[in-house]
Amino acid sequence: MKTKIVTFGEIMIRLSKPGYQRLFQGRNFEGNYGGSEANAAVSLAFMGDNVEYVTRVPYGPLGDAALMHLREYNLNVSHVVKGGDRLGTYYFEEAVAMRNSRVVYDRKDSSFYTLKRGMIKWDKVLEDAGIFHCSGITCAISRDAMETTMDAIELAVKKGLTISCDINYRKNLWGYGLQPRDVLYRMMQYSDIIFGDQNEWEVASGERHIPFEALDADYEMDREAYLAYFRRMHQFFPKCKKMVMAVRNQIASSHHTLTGVLYDTQTDTLYTTKIYDIQPIIDPMGVGDAFIAAYLHANLKWSNGNQKCLDFSLSASALKNTVPGDQNLVSEEEIIVNMTSSGGRIQR
């Protein structure tokens, strides 16, 4: 069985002000690399998987620096293409107390935004791969990026790869004329594994999500409601084998409850797991990317253990809330320890 995972998307620079300042305050920015598919790829590589990340970056020091960052985590970037004028950027204003976080994108005319269909030689990229992972964010950036994604998906299906998609709905990115639901629906029709949070599943399917109002870890999930919900989802997306949902309640900016649900369509079985009561939240960016990356890793390693795969994925996602930056720099061992302990101990 081929175990190489290929991910495709835009790597960006994330700029934030230190100390919860607003974007128009202060003089200094803190920089990190971000981008959903890059975040997932780094997480997978950090856990020891064979991962290739495909993107487009500009010639020159900024493009080279982005690739150096990816290589630092042992990512294969041999099919990255170069061109265009700039790396995409996003500005992140952190939430605090009653003030919500804010994201301002600066991606227009980036190297990835100006990617043209046909620039990436998918036949070569996918020849030794077992999984292709894609995202709704990539499909939202431009029509060419969407069509490039669909070209890769269709070829990957012909080659017998497993298709994994993160719904990843970002309403502020869609601007080239097509309706987000139509594009996301098409991507999901091809997918063997579909991941999203409760709101993203609603956008893609049109079906209202089930309220999650957990204030602590003792909240009881309505398993029958989720089972009925995912049975309806399977009617929409009959090819899908595993449907995964991250479920979050943002009680306050620094206090979230988080859990996950997995539906195995082949056995008509729903899996739920514990609820993490996370306080304080250090950095919520990339939490979903950490979840799906951990699920792909776990599904490769423990394919017959649905409950373990879900427990592992949620543990990884919960840990991401404690890691500054977009990328979940935690190992398989740390994730497993977190699954079975209360955390906070010194590891000697």
Side-chain angles (χ1 to χ4, degrees):
M1 183 177 94
K2 295 179 180 179
T3 59
K4 176 180 163 182
I5 304 167
V6 173
T7 73
F8 172 58
E10 181 174 27
I11 186 168
M12 296 182 294
I13 299 173
R14 161 183 155 176
L15 296 173
S16 303
K17 291 292 181 71
Y20 300 103
Q21 292 181 96
R22 307 210 67 189
L23 291 177
F24 47 75
Q25 288 183 287
R27 298 182 178 181
N28 299 320
F29 280 98
E30 296 176 343
N32 292 283
Y33 287 103
S36 176
E37 306 80 14
N39 297 341
V42 168
S43 290
L44 286 161
F46 209 88
M47 290 182 285
D49 292 293
N50 177 12
V51 192
E52 177 167 1
Y53 178 64
V54 182
T55 190
R56 185 174 187 243
V57 298
Y59 286 102
L62 287 182
D64 291 343
L67 296 183
M68 288 174 65
H69 168 78
L70 296 169
R71 291 190 188 101
E72 181 181 353
Y73 295 108
N74 204 32
L75 279 173
N76 177 352
V77 290
S78 59
H79 290 99
V80 168
V81 295
K82 288 191 171 184
D85 297 325
R86 55 184 289 266
L87 276 180
T89 304
Y90 84 92
Y91 299 84
F92 177 54
E93 184 177 289
E94 295 181 85
V96 61
M98 73 290 297
R99 194 180 82 214
N100 293 330
S101 62
R102 180 166 63 166
V103 170
V104 179
Y105 291 114
D106 183 16
R107 304 171 85 152
K108 189 173 182 181
D109 296 325
S110 70
S111 292
F112 196 88
Y113 184 94
T114 56
L115 172 80
K116 296 300 180 185
R117 192 177 185 184
M119 285 183 174
I120 295 170
K121 308 307 178 187
W122 287 119
D123 194 63
K124 188 70 174 174
V125 173
L126 298 173
E127 66 179 2
D128 58 347
I131 298 172
F132 178 71
H133 176 67
C134 55
S135 160
I137 288 179
T138 305
C139 292
I141 292 171
S142 69
R143 186 181 291 267
D144 274 301
M146 180 274 293
E147 290 177 341
T148 301
T149 303
M150 294 301 175
D151 287 346
I153 291 173
E154 290 172 3
L155 180 60
V157 170
K158 289 180 182 177
K159 287 178 172 286
L161 276 71
T162 295
I163 308 300
S164 162
C165 87
D166 184 341
I167 301 169
N168 249 340
Y169 174 64
R170 301 291 184 271
K171 66 178 181 179
N172 292 336
L173 288 178
W174 291 86
Y176 59 86
L178 297 182
Q179 291 300 311
R181 183 182 172 189
D182 293 341
V183 176
L184 295 173
Y185 196 91
R186 179 184 170 196
M187 178 179 68
M188 294 163 72
Q189 286 287 332
Y190 286 104
S191 299
D192 302 288
I193 298 167
I194 301 175
F195 169 78
D197 67 25
Q198 64 265 47
N199 297 305
E200 290 167 336
W201 276 100
E202 179 178 321
V203 168
S205 68
E207 292 276 324
R208 290 280 296 173
H209 71 269
I210 299 163
F212 178 68
E213 300 171 340
L215 299 178
D216 55 40
D218 294 327
Y219 184 85
E220 291 190 15
M221 302 283 285
D222 187 343
R223 289 178 54 87
E224 290 303 315
Y226 280 98
L227 180 59
Y229 186 88
F230 279 110
R231 283 172 173 166
R232 293 195 299 275
M233 295 302 101
H234 191 213
Q235 292 176 355
F236 291 132
F237 311 110
K239 184 177 184 288
C240 186
K241 298 178 178 66
K242 303 291 176 68
M243 297 181 170
V244 188
M245 179 187 287
V247 188
R248 175 189 293 267
N249 184 24
Q250 299 186 26
I251 300 164
S253 62
S254 62
H255 184 194
H256 297 178
T257 52
L258 179 69
T259 190
V261 181
L262 168 63
Y263 177 61
D264 186 327
T265 67
Q266 296 174 298
T267 61
D268 186 33
T269 306
L270 183 83
Y271 297 84
T272 56
T273 184
K274 67 186 289 185
I275 296 171
Y276 283 90
D277 187 349
I278 310 170
Q279 187 177 15
I281 301 290
I282 301 302
D283 195 324
M285 299 301 283
V287 168
D289 308 325
F291 201 119
I292 182 57
Y295 180 76
L296 293 176
H297 173 85
N299 194 51
L300 280 173
K301 194 161 187 178
W302 308 296
S303 59
N304 294 321
N306 281 325
Q307 187 65 58
K308 185 171 184 178
C309 290
L310 180 61
D311 295 345
F312 182 87
S313 304
L314 178 66
S315 176
S317 185
L319 282 171
K320 171 59 197 75
N321 289 277
T322 73
V323 180
D326 283 38
Q327 294 163 352
N328 199 25
L329 305 180
V330 296
S331 66
E332 179 189 287
E333 180 184 6
E334 290 172 306
I335 295 166
I336 291 172
V337 168
N338 186 57
M339 288 164 58
T340 55
S341 71
S342 58
R345 294 185 178 90
I346 299 175
Q347 300 297 314
R348 298 184 187 274

